[in-house]
């Protein structure tokens, strides 16, 4: 049966509608209405809930002013150091990094929440793979460390990751320009300045060291002090990235003690351009140098230094703000966070690798050491005068040690103006290195590197150039050295070891107590040479202050 209906919208045409088609259309409409109505009524009541088997399945990441769940943020691992614990956070690229104010260090014992101790972190630093290193206070014995977010209103926290002991660890690595991997190791206890037997070791690469059947082994090229150089496998150089993140490298000691734990993820050094951008660079390792950094950088810029590498050894002062301010002023300076205690030689080796791409020459000095060129020439001109032969790969400069010079408070104009009294005889030397001349072992004794065969060094005459080492400053400053020494093979002041060494303060002993006559000590020669040069070259004549003095430091000048 068919129905004829007149529709007046389509040119008055007739439309014939089948009853069967009309019936099925009504059925479909009713069914759809019932289905969607049911979903609307029961929406949310039967939503599946995914639960994690971990104690806390998702990190609360702070995005703008709200907290959202982010299962990708996690504690990768932790390292227990004397006086602090480093916690390594792993992030996805899409999330904003936490600040120091966002985080809380949580120390737990035996899984008992009532025994938890919470403290604010000392600092938070970015790592080279987009994560963060959180510096927590020292972990108590038999405790584990985790992190909570300060905005959380519950006791939830990120589950603790694997925790490593500092004295038995592969802690850093870098792929050098020749594609070998330079690995920095604590625990091999190799002798200073000596090359070890490489047959005792092998390098091990992998994304998960627990899966022994998936590890890649390679030969050791050299081993000395805390540095092991490995032959990097092609599968590591060219292989695909893993979902677990960058590959790790470790060192295995053959014959019993096994493989060291590792947190070292090697990053690649970019090959240098044909012409290096800087002729003269400086590398230093320091802690809490904010008060002297401006003077040290600005002075050396005036004598020809173009690039500064600052290896920050756990500073807790304003050094980051000082470096950022110097950068804004046009100084090419970079901070490299280096938390590893008593590793100055390894840090200098690491810096030498990184600086080689940029620098023709690299000086290795401390922030209390200043080159003094009596003639007023630049460092680069001195270097050219002493490197007429292509065989010269290192220039050694003698050091004069200055004392407190009668002062009891920090000199307002800086160390170069304030300290003018020193010991008569020079002490040792510091080096300016041509990076291509470095021995592959990277052996250095802080003051100088071992050189390749075919290279030698030149000694600068002390009447041409010396380093003014403001070693024994006012007690307020010197006592910081008593806290901790950075060199691996130099005893801390407090240790009753090598008390008569030139690395010590003569007559001071091992107790960090100010002697009554400290201000008058180490004063055998009055030497105002650098002071006079600084006042002539770096004084702002209009303001009557040195260029590195800040507004809040100005006062009456004596």
């Amino acid at each position: 049966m068919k129905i004829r209906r007149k529709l007046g919208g389509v040119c008055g045409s007739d439309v014939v509608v089948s009853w069967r088609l009309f019936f099925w259309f009504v059925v479909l409409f009713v069914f759809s209405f019932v289905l969607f109505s049911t979903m609307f009524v029961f929406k949310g009541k039967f939503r599946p809930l995914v639960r994690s088997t971990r104690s806390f399945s998702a990190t609360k990441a702070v995005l703008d002013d709200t907290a959202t769940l982010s299962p990708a943020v996690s504690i990768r691992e932790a390292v227990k150091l004397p006086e602090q614990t480093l916690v390594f956070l792993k992030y996805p690229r899409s999330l904003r990094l936490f600040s120091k104010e966002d985080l809380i260090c949580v120390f737990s014992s035996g899984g008992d929440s009532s025994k938890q101790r919470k403290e604010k972190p000392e600092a938070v630093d970015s790592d080279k793979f987009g994560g963060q290193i959180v510096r927590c206070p020292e972990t108590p014995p038999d405790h584990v460390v985790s992190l909570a977010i300060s905005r959380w209103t519950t006791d939830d926290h990120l589950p603790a990751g694997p925790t490593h002991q500092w004295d038995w660890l592969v802690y850093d690595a870098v792929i050098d320009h020749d594609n070998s991997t330079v690995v920095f190791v604590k625990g091999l206890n190799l002798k200073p300045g000596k090359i070890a037997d490489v047959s005792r070791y092998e390098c091990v690469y992998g994304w998960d060291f627990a899966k022994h059947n998936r590890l890649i082994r390679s030969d050791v090229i050299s081993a000395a002090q805390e540095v092991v150089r490995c032959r990097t496998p092609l599968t590591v150089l060219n292989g695909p990235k893993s979902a677990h993140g960058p590959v790790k490298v470790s060192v295995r000691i053959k014959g019993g003690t096994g493989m060291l734990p590792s947190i070292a993820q090697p990053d690649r050094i970019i090959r240098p351009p044909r012409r290096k951008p800087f002729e003269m660079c400086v590398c230093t390792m320091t802690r809490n140098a904010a008060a002297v950094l401006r003077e040290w950088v600005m002075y050396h810029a005036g004598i020809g230094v173009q690039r500064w590498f600052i290896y920050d050894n756990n500073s807790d002062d304003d050094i980051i703000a000082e470096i950022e301010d110097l950068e804004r002023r046009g100084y090419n300076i970079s901070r490299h966070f280096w938390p590893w205690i008593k590793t100055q030689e390894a840090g200098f080796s690491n810096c030498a690798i990184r600086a080689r791409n940029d620098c023709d020459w690299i000086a290795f000095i401390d922030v209390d050491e200043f080159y003094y060129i009596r003639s007023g020439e630049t460092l680069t001109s001195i270097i050219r005068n002493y490197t007429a032969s292509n065989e010269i790969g290192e220039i050694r400069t003698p050091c004069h040690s200055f004392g407190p010079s009668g002062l009891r408070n920090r000199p307002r104009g800086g160390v170069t103006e304030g300290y003018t009294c020193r010991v008569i005889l020079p002490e040792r030397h510091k080096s300016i290195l041509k990076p291509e001349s470095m021995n592959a072992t990277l052996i250095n004794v802080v003051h100088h590197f071992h050189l390749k065969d075919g290279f030698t060094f030149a000694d600068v005459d002390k009447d041409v150039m010396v380093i003014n080492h403001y070693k024994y400053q006012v007690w307020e400053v010197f006592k910081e050295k008593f806290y901790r020494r950075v060199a691996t093979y130099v005893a801390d002041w407090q240790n009753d070891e090598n008390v008569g060494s030139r690395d010590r303060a003569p007559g001071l002993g091992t107790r960090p107590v100010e002697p009554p006559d400290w201000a008058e000590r180490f004063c055998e020669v009055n030497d105002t040479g650098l002071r006079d040069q600084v006042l002539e070259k770096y004084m702002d004549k209009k303001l009557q202050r040195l260029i590195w003095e800040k507004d809040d430091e100005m006062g009456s000048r004596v």
Side-chain angles (χ1 to χ4, degrees):
M1 180 178 180
K2 296 182 180 179
I3 299 176
R4 295 183 61 89
R5 296 184 58 190
K6 189 78 173 261
L7 298 179
V10 190
C11 302
S13 61
D14 291 340
V15 177
V16 179
V17 180
S18 167
W19 277 110
R20 181 175 297 176
L21 181 61
F22 179 78
F23 172 79
W24 286 113
F25 174 80
V26 172
V27 171
L28 179 61
F29 176 82
V30 173
F31 176 80
S32 299
F33 178 81
V34 173
L35 175 62
F36 284 103
S37 297
T38 303
M39 291 178 64
F40 179 82
V41 171
F42 293 100
K43 182 180 179 181
K45 293 186 178 181
F46 299 99
R47 182 182 298 168
L49 178 64
V50 180
R51 296 187 180 274
S52 171
T53 57
R54 297 166 63 176
S55 62
F56 184 73
S57 62
T59 305
K60 293 181 175 68
V62 181
L63 299 174
D64 299 324
D65 293 326
T66 61
T68 57
L69 294 180
S70 174
V73 181
S74 61
I75 294 178
R76 196 178 82 210
E77 51 211 338
V79 178
K80 285 186 178 182
L81 294 166
E83 301 178 0
Q84 70 175 356
T85 299
L86 304 178
V87 181
F88 293 79
L89 272 180
K90 182 181 177 182
Y91 281 82
R93 293 184 179 179
S94 58
L95 290 186
R96 180 178 73 82
L97 302 182
F98 291 128
S99 68
K100 176 182 174 181
E101 288 68 31
D102 292 327
L103 298 169
I104 298 174
C105 301
V106 181
F107 304 97
S108 306
S109 175
D112 186 349
S113 60
S114 64
K115 296 182 180 180
Q116 285 186 354
R117 192 182 86 193
K118 297 181 180 180
E119 294 190 35
K120 293 296 294 182
E122 297 169 357
V124 177
D125 291 273
S126 297
D127 70 16
K128 58 189 178 182
F129 291 105
Q132 284 182 310
I133 305 173
V134 183
R135 285 188 262 168
C136 290
E138 183 177 4
T139 302
D142 302 321
H143 283 63
V144 295
V145 63
S146 58
L147 294 173
I149 309 305
S150 57
R151 300 190 187 193
W152 294 357
T153 58
T154 68
D155 289 330
D156 287 330
H157 57 271
L158 295 173
T163 301
H164 310 292
Q165 298 298 323
W166 163 235
D167 56 357
W168 181 247
L169 183 69
V170 175
Y171 59 90
D172 198 23
V174 60
I175 297 178
D176 206 350
H177 73 288
D178 62 354
N179 287 336
S180 63
T181 305
V182 179
V183 182
F184 298 91
V185 187
K186 201 75 174 178
L188 295 183
N189 297 323
L190 304 182
K191 295 181 179 180
K194 302 294 183 182
I195 299 176
D197 179 7
V198 297
S199 66
R200 296 182 55 204
Y201 311 102
E202 70 175 355
C203 298
V204 182
Y205 296 79
W207 286 271
D208 185 351
F209 286 157
K211 298 178 179 179
H212 297 284
N213 60 334
R214 301 190 66 179
L215 299 180
I216 305 170
R217 304 176 187 272
S218 72
D219 296 332
V220 171
I221 300 172
S222 64
Q225 298 184 166
E226 291 187 357
V227 179
V228 175
R229 189 181 288 271
C230 311
R231 198 177 308 280
T232 312
L234 289 177
T235 50
V236 172
L237 288 173
N238 306 320
K241 299 293 183 182
S242 167
H244 299 289
V247 67
K248 284 186 178 182
V249 60
S250 185
V251 174
R252 190 179 79 86
I253 303 174
K254 299 177 181 177
T257 51
M259 186 170 64
L260 278 78
S262 174
I263 64 168
Q265 300 173 336
D267 58 329
R268 186 187 296 272
I269 296 297
I270 301 173
R271 291 185 180 275
R274 291 185 178 180
R275 182 178 177 84
K276 297 184 181 182
F278 307 109
E279 189 171 356
M280 184 67 216
C281 303
V282 168
C283 180
T284 193
M285 182 178 293
T286 189
R287 180 180 185 275
N288 289 348
V292 298
L293 193 66
R294 284 168 60 92
E295 179 184 11
W296 186 74
V297 169
M298 291 180 175
Y299 169 81
H300 283 101
I303 63 170
V305 175
Q306 301 162 303
R307 175 81 167 89
W308 292 262
F309 297 84
I310 311 296
Y311 274 56
D312 183 358
N313 194 219
N314 293 303
S315 294
D316 52 19
D317 61 359
D318 295 326
I319 191 170
I320 295 178
E322 287 293 339
I323 290 174
E324 290 173 347
D325 180 67
L326 287 166
E327 286 182 302
R328 285 191 295 269
R329 293 172 182 268
Y331 297 95
N332 198 316
I333 178 172
S334 57
R335 172 183 177 264
H336 304 267
F337 180 52
W338 187 263
W340 318 116
I341 62 172
K342 290 190 73 65
T343 58
Q344 187 174 28
E345 295 87 345
F348 278 1
S349 295
N350 186 285
C351 186
I353 294 172
R354 296 188 181 281
R356 173 167 46 198
N357 286 351
D358 292 338
C359 311
D360 292 327
W361 293 90
I362 315 163
F364 294 86
I365 57 174
D366 299 330
V367 293
D368 60 356
E369 296 173 332
F370 291 72
Y371 282 99
Y372 170 38
I373 305 170
R374 299 181 188 278
S375 65
E377 296 178 76
T378 63
L379 265 173
T380 49
S381 64
I382 297 296
I383 291 172
R384 293 189 194 108
N385 293 339
Y386 277 86
T387 56
S389 168
N390 291 330
E391 296 177 352
I392 302 298
E394 184 181 44
I395 297 171
R396 297 181 177 180
T397 307
C399 302
H400 282 310
S401 294
F402 281 70
S405 305
L407 302 179
R408 286 169 174 78
N409 298 304
R410 288 177 183 265
R412 185 183 301 278
V415 298
T416 54
E417 183 208 32
Y419 299 114
T420 57
C421 209
R422 63 171 173 82
V423 178
I424 293 178
L425 298 177
E427 287 187 350
R428 296 183 172 176
H429 61 266
K430 292 294 178 76
S431 292
I432 303 174
L433 177 73
K434 185 177 184 178
E436 287 77 16
S437 69
M438 286 187 301
N439 189 288
T441 61
L442 302 178
I443 290 177
N444 69 87
V445 194
V446 177
H447 307 287
H448 64 270
F449 279 78
H450 285 201
L451 304 178
K452 291 178 181 177
D453 292 340
F455 285 94
T456 187
F457 62 87
D459 285 316
V460 176
D461 191 297
K462 63 182 177 62
D463 293 326
V464 175
M465 181 172 73
V466 295
I467 289 176
N468 279 13
H469 184 186
Y470 300 102
K471 183 176 183 178
Y472 309 114
Q473 299 185 34
V474 296
W475 186 259
E476 174 193 357
V477 177
F478 184 80
K479 67 182 180 182
E480 176 70 17
K481 285 191 174 184
F482 241 108
Y483 173 69
R484 184 174 66 226
R485 301 295 294 274
V486 297
T488 310
Y489 302 103
V490 176
D492 287 341
W493 298 105
Q494 302 98 318
N495 294 348
D496 188 11
E497 181 182 346
N498 298 330
V499 177
S501 168
R502 284 187 294 176
D503 291 313
R504 299 292 210 154
L508 190 60
T510 60
R511 295 175 56 221
V513 178
E514 180 180 4
D517 63 340
W518 178 257
E520 285 71 39
R521 288 193 178 191
F522 316 107
C523 185
E524 299 173 350
V525 175
N526 191 40
D527 183 348
T528 62
L530 183 54
R531 193 273 307 272
D532 297 340
Q533 199 176 86
V534 161
L535 292 177
E536 174 64 28
K537 185 175 180 180
Y538 295 92
M539 175 68 74
D540 185 319
K541 301 300 190 294
K542 182 179 179 180
L543 298 176
Q544 284 298 297
R545 64 172 179 175
L546 294 165
I547 61 173
W548 44 76
E549 287 186 78
K550 297 181 179 180
D551 292 338
D552 57 357
E553 294 173 348
M554 289 188 65
S556 58
R557 299 188 63 85
V558 180

